[in-house]
Amino acid sequence: MQRAKGACLVCGEPLVYLNEAEPMKCSFCGKEEPSYAKCQSGHYVCDACHAKKGIEGIIGYCSASQKKDPVAMLMDMMNNPYIHMHGPEHHIMVGAALITAYKNFGGKIELDKALEEMKKRGSRYPGGSCGFWGCCGAAVSVGMCVSIITETTPLSGKTWGLANMATARALDAIGRLGGPRCCKRDSFTAVIAAAGVFRESLGVELDMPQGIKCTFSAENKQCIKKACPYYCG
């Protein structure tokens, strides 16, 4: 399979983003729902169909991984051809990598149960929210991860604040780099921010690389190149 480079999964045409949602029908499953995105030929693919195989790969990889470096795990998963250049699968992948690294450092969680919960929560966060809601799903994935690890609910105290702060730190770091969106850049940035939260608040020093070199630039037509801290030409 050749990975789609931020284009339509049906015909390969570039995507068009709308200012107002329109009713659309998924070209794969037939589900009808309002959406802000379609391709230039009019095709629409819902988030569930877009991310299905990629999510299966994420959960399978993380459930078997022994790695403690969440960036290395992201790189491995991003090389799966079913993980597209952009897409809602990243809303699950960031948190899944962090949960797995936490478990491999000796964190007291049931990995399979935690990953399944990460899948459920991340799947509910819509694609395109970075631009339409002002809240990137990679950052929200960090907050979801912290919530799952600490068993936080809306009625929690200290950990309620921690989960929200974790999202805020990741979102702040992503926002400072500017747009347009890049799911790879945003995912790396979110994990770096999360590593600080893990160290300061959870007492876990994640294995982190000294530098990150993105190998996906050629797949992103909107790559900001040298303005991105991970760009390697």
Side-chain angles (χ1 to χ4, degrees):
M1 174 194 172
Q2 184 176 5
R3 194 194 340 254
K5 299 182 179 182
C8 177
L9 300 187
V10 177
C11 67
E13 288 290 321
L15 298 183
V16 176
Y17 289 95
L18 312 172
N19 290 324
E20 296 183 2
E22 295 181 359
M24 298 188 196
K25 184 176 181 179
C26 178
S27 297
F28 289 160
C29 71
K31 178 172 64 176
E32 295 185 11
E33 60 185 5
S35 175
Y36 291 92
K38 60 183 177 180
C39 81
Q40 291 182 351
S41 296
H43 298 121
Y44 166 67
V45 178
C46 71
D47 281 355
C49 289
H50 188 285
K52 183 176 186 297
K53 288 186 178 294
I55 293 172
E56 291 172 356
I58 290 167
I59 301 304
Y61 172 88
C62 288
S63 65
S65 178
Q66 299 299 312
K67 291 186 176 181
K68 299 178 180 180
D69 179 346
V71 173
M73 285 189 271
L74 287 183
M75 286 288 196
D76 288 346
M77 290 185 279
M78 287 174 178
N79 279 306
N80 180 331
Y82 289 108
I83 301 294
H84 306 294
M85 179 64 221
H86 309 292
E89 56 267 39
H90 296 80
H91 304 171
I92 297 170
M93 182 164 54
V94 168
L98 290 166
I99 286 171
T100 305
Y102 177 79
K103 170 64 175 178
N104 292 341
F105 263 103
K108 304 301 182 183
I109 57 171
E110 296 181 38
L111 182 59
D112 289 343
K113 182 179 179 181
L115 289 174
E116 183 61 27
E117 185 61 26
M118 187 67 236
K119 173 184 172 181
K120 290 178 182 177
R121 297 187 192 187
S123 294
R124 296 175 66 184
Y125 200 76
S129 295
C130 54
F132 294 120
W133 289 6
C135 195
C136 175
V140 176
S141 191
V142 172
M144 291 176 181
C145 160
V146 172
S147 173
I148 291 168
I149 287 173
T150 59
E151 298 184 344
T152 294
T153 75
L155 299 181
S156 299
K158 182 178 179 180
T159 60
W160 183 95
L162 178 61
N164 280 273
M165 182 270 289
T167 299
R169 284 182 52 169
L171 190 60
D172 180 70
I174 289 169
R176 288 179 184 277
L177 291 177
R181 62 87 173 90
C182 172
C183 288
K184 306 317 188 211
R185 181 187 72 229
D186 297 346
S187 295
F188 295 143
T189 304
V191 166
I192 292 171
V197 175
F198 275 51
R199 179 178 61 254
E200 298 160 14
S201 301
L202 299 178
V204 174
E205 187 78 37
L206 297 178
D207 283 350
M208 296 291 287
Q210 291 186 347
I212 299 174
K213 293 184 177 181
C214 178
T215 58
F216 305 98
S217 301
E219 298 182 32
N220 184 8
K221 293 182 179 180
Q222 292 82 39
C223 178
I224 60 176
K225 302 188 185 299
K226 291 183 180 180
C228 174
Y230 319 118
Y231 182 69
C232 59

